[in-house]
Amino acid sequence: TRGASRRWLRRTCSETASAFSSLKKTSIRIAIALSAMNHFHVIGMAELFPLYATSPYALRLEPHQVALALAPLATMLLTWPFVFVRLERVYGCVVTLRIGMSAFILVSIGLPALWLTRDHQVLMWVGLVLVGLLRGIGGNSCFPSLTLLLNSLLTDNLGAMNGLNASVGSGMRAISPIVCGSLFSAATAMSGAPYAVGLPFLLNGLLPI
């Protein structure tokens, strides 16, 4: 019995080591790391947006206005996949990934700057609509692009690497709200200046770069 258990253990360890041998390739490690950072960014933005939108130091929106500000994001989440399919077929997943990451960067820079327009309702709402559209483009471009890119780099061990990618992404989704919420709380406590409470967005936006 002991001999059979040892053989089973050695075989399992050998199979596991073989499954993760693809991590020796730098390009695969980079693809998984980018996916993890984008998971962190998307969930961090979902955490930060309502905090920033309702903060008396920032946009000072009412709850129903926050819901309205999220409508462009919902619209883009529904429609952009149809555009993405055409773009990816013509230009490839690297180009669509760059489009998504550029959208994330613009959101991280543009959203904290909206406090400059909070006394000009029309300008502020135009900015909120653009931010919502860009958030939808970013999420619906980055994640499928990274999955396609990762699978194109793999010649074997697809199940193991995609499982690892999903696990790492889930871990980042769990960590992100804690980190981003804590950063926002710290920025609010240290300074009520609008530029201070906007700093977590800029830090969050650096991750996908």
Side-chain angles (χ1 to χ4, degrees):
T1 304
R2 289 183 178 179
S5 298
R6 289 174 180 174
R7 287 193 297 272
W8 176 84
L9 182 60
R10 284 196 298 268
R11 184 172 64 252
T12 301
C13 292
S14 176
E15 291 173 352
T16 302
S18 175
F20 286 93
S21 61
S22 297
L23 288 174
K24 294 178 181 178
K25 297 179 181 179
T26 303
S27 57
I28 292 175
R29 295 199 301 271
I30 291 174
I32 293 175
L34 281 174
S35 179
M37 292 301 99
N38 277 283
H39 278 287
F40 187 100
H41 175 87
V42 167
I43 299 303
M45 186 61 66
E47 170 76 10
L48 290 170
F49 179 78
L51 295 175
Y52 186 78
T54 57
S55 172
Y57 304 112
L59 301 186
R60 301 178 298 204
L61 296 183
E62 297 295 329
H64 71 278
Q65 292 177 311
V66 175
L68 186 60
L70 290 172
L73 169 61
T75 301
M76 195 55 66
L77 289 174
L78 179 65
T79 59
W80 186 255
F82 299 100
V83 179
F84 171 83
V85 170
R86 294 179 177 273
L87 289 176
E88 195 279 328
R89 285 177 180 172
V90 175
Y91 300 105
C93 58
V94 174
V95 171
T96 53
L97 176 60
R98 289 173 178 169
I99 291 172
M101 294 176 72
S102 298
F104 280 153
I105 293 169
L106 289 173
V107 169
S108 298
I109 295 172
L111 188 54
L114 285 181
W115 68 270
L116 294 169
T117 66
R118 63 183 181 179
D119 294 325
H120 305 278
Q121 290 292 303
V122 174
L123 289 177
M124 184 182 72
W125 280 100
V126 168
L128 286 170
V129 169
L130 291 175
V131 163
L133 296 176
L134 287 170
R135 286 178 66 189
I137 291 172
N140 276 344
S141 295
C142 283
F143 292 120
S145 296
L146 285 166
T147 300
L148 292 170
L149 180 62
L150 177 61
N151 287 328
S152 70
L153 294 171
L154 292 167
T155 55
D156 51 12
N157 302 322
L158 270 72
M161 290 300 98
N162 279 280
L164 176 63
N165 186 42
S167 298
V168 173
S170 296
M172 297 301 280
R173 283 175 172 265
I175 295 170
S176 182
I178 300 172
V179 174
C180 292
S182 298
L183 285 174
F184 188 87
S185 296
T188 304
M190 288 188 299
S191 172
Y195 65 84
V197 295
L199 285 177
F201 287 99
L202 299 179
L203 295 174
N204 191 33
L206 292 176
L207 289 174
I209 298 177

